[in-house]
Amino acid sequence: MTLAAATDLAVATNEHLASISNTLIYSSMAVYTLAFFAYIAEWLLGSRSKVGRTAAALTADGAQKAGPPAVAVKQAGGTAVLERPKVVVRSASGARDVPDGPGAHGGDEQGDLYGRIAISLTVLAFLVELAGVVSRAASVERAPWGNMYEFNITFSTVAVGVYLGLLALKKNVRWLGLFLITSVLLDLGLAVTVLYTASDQLVPALHSYWLYIHVSTAIFCGAVFYVGAVATILYLFKDAYENKLQSGGKPGSFATSVLERLPASASLDKFAYRVNAAVFPLWTFTIIAGAIWAGDAWGRYWNWDPKETWSFITWVAYACYLHARATAGWKGRKAAYLALIAFGCWLFNYYGVNIFVSGKHSYAGV
């Protein structure tokens, strides 16, 4: 076989792999859509009759009614009746003593069945999308992170992988499913329509093993930050709901049906804090790795390029959040707003800088 023939064969093979990748990405979107409807069915068909305990525990009158009954204890010569303590609505530290909701299924077997179907479809879609990412990498013979399209499909894959990993670790996060899959579908829709870029080789500056180190950690950090942001948003809604109940208000039936199934606001707040705190050191490493790569590629570790600047701004924002969250006076909603501001900085660094701002890191390809 001549060199020209071998080159033509390689090009044809790469184009075929790129076509397979596109097909797999679209197929994953179809399966994600089925999972989305299964999650909807879990929320709609789950029982709504078993989620009133949270509301009852939040009001003074309801707390007394929700309290467990007295217990009769047999003793020698008679029976002693011991009164159980009343339900504590607000603890000494200022946090409510509210139980977590039963989950999206509402404690109902039918809802739980649809939830399990949704998880199974999510796993299938994740595997199909992962195959699409791998096929894309094979078609370009490099890591599939050279432009925004490739970054998007990898990011959504990792985000779903983080969610499934938490489920595999027996964490109570199935309530994230509907919100996660909805945003993943939007992300993939944006990728295949606006951000799509044909397979091509890397720009010279990206030809480095640091691509595998720096970009992979950036993608993983973004996926975990995203999960934390979703939990933070849900915390704000649940906290407002609990506040309204405690003040004697009566939320609407839709809010009651949805929010009572979620974990308590304290649990959501703790979950968001833990995931953000866990990944923050890795985000620090990402910035350091990027600086080292910049030194190798451009002879200068830091040049205040827009991407570098906003990466640092994001780091400062999350550092402020973690510090505020650890400070008693800034726990709760104030710290949650800081977390959302920090994630907003990450999103702008992800989309805004790559698409609208020119600099050394302008690799959007759109």
Side-chain angles (χ1 to χ4, degrees), residues 11-348:
V11 171
T13 301
N14 290 342
E15 290 178 351
H16 181 62
L17 288 171
S19 177
I20 292 176
S21 173
N22 295 339
T23 301
L24 289 171
I25 295 300
Y26 278 106
S27 299
S28 70
M29 292 177 67
V31 183
Y32 278 132
T33 301
L34 294 177
F36 168 79
F37 285 116
Y39 282 116
I40 289 290
E42 179 186 19
W43 281 92
L44 292 180
L45 301 181
S47 173
R48 303 184 183 187
S49 61
K50 300 180 180 180
V51 296
R53 292 189 295 262
T54 302
L58 278 173
T59 59
D61 181 59
Q64 295 176 1
K65 293 179 181 178
V71 178
V73 180
K74 292 183 178 180
Q75 295 179 337
T79 301
V81 178
L82 302 179
E83 294 290 339
R84 291 194 184 273
K86 296 180 180 180
V87 174
V88 178
V89 176
R90 184 174 289 272
S91 64
S93 62
R96 303 180 189 87
D97 185 13
V98 179
D100 289 338
H105 54 80
D108 182 77
E109 291 185 4
Q110 184 183 34
D112 184 62
L113 174 63
Y114 281 103
R116 293 179 183 275
I117 293 173
I119 294 297
S120 299
L121 290 171
T122 302
V123 172
L124 177 60
F126 166 76
L127 294 175
V128 173
E129 187 181 10
L130 179 61
V133 173
V134 173
S135 299
R136 177 75 177 198
S139 72
V140 293
E141 300 178 349
R142 57 168 172 79
W145 310 318
N147 51 60
M148 283 292 292
Y149 169 73
E150 295 172 355
F151 197 97
N152 260 43
I153 61 175
T154 306
F155 171 77
S156 59
T157 304
V158 175
V160 176
V162 170
Y163 167 64
L164 295 177
L166 290 172
L167 286 176
L169 293 173
K170 308 298 183 182
K171 303 298 182 181
N172 176 26
V173 295
R174 205 164 90 182
W175 44 269
L176 269 174
L178 177 61
F179 310 99
L180 176 70
I181 297 307
T182 301
S183 58
V184 164
L185 282 171
L186 292 174
D187 179 72
L188 289 176
L190 180 65
V192 300
T193 55
V194 177
L195 301 177
Y196 180 77
T197 305
S199 299
D200 200 358
Q201 294 304 309
L202 292 173
V203 297
L206 294 181
H207 284 286
S208 172
Y209 62 89
W210 282 105
L211 174 69
Y212 297 90
I213 301 173
H214 172 66
V215 181
S216 62
T217 55
I219 292 173
F220 179 77
C221 289
V224 178
F225 282 147
Y226 166 73
V227 171
V230 173
T232 300
I233 293 172
L234 293 178
Y235 157 75
L236 291 173
F237 279 105
K238 187 63 181 282
D239 183 65
Y241 174 78
E242 292 177 0
N243 282 334
K244 189 170 185 177
L245 285 176
Q246 187 176 1
S247 63
K250 185 177 181 181
S253 59
F254 177 79
T256 300
S257 174
V258 173
L259 295 176
E260 284 185 359
R261 305 191 202 190
L262 295 175
S265 62
S267 298
L268 291 169
D269 183 40
K270 184 183 297 183
F271 173 78
Y273 170 69
R274 285 179 174 177
V275 296
N276 286 326
V279 81
F280 181 73
L282 190 59
W283 180 248
T284 304
F285 169 78
T286 301
I287 296 176
I288 296 173
I292 297 174
W293 187 9
D296 290 343
W298 302 313
R300 188 169 181 176
Y301 292 107
W302 197 267
N303 198 35
W304 293 107
D305 180 78
K307 175 68 70 172
E308 296 170 351
T309 302
W310 276 96
S311 295
F312 179 69
I313 291 174
T314 303
W315 184 91
V316 171
Y318 272 107
C320 291
Y321 159 70
L322 295 176
H323 176 72
R325 181 59 177 74
T327 303
W330 276 82
K331 287 183 179 180
R333 299 185 71 87
K334 292 181 180 179
Y337 292 138
L338 282 178
L340 293 182
I341 291 172
F343 185 69
C345 292
W346 189 91
L347 279 181
F348 182 78

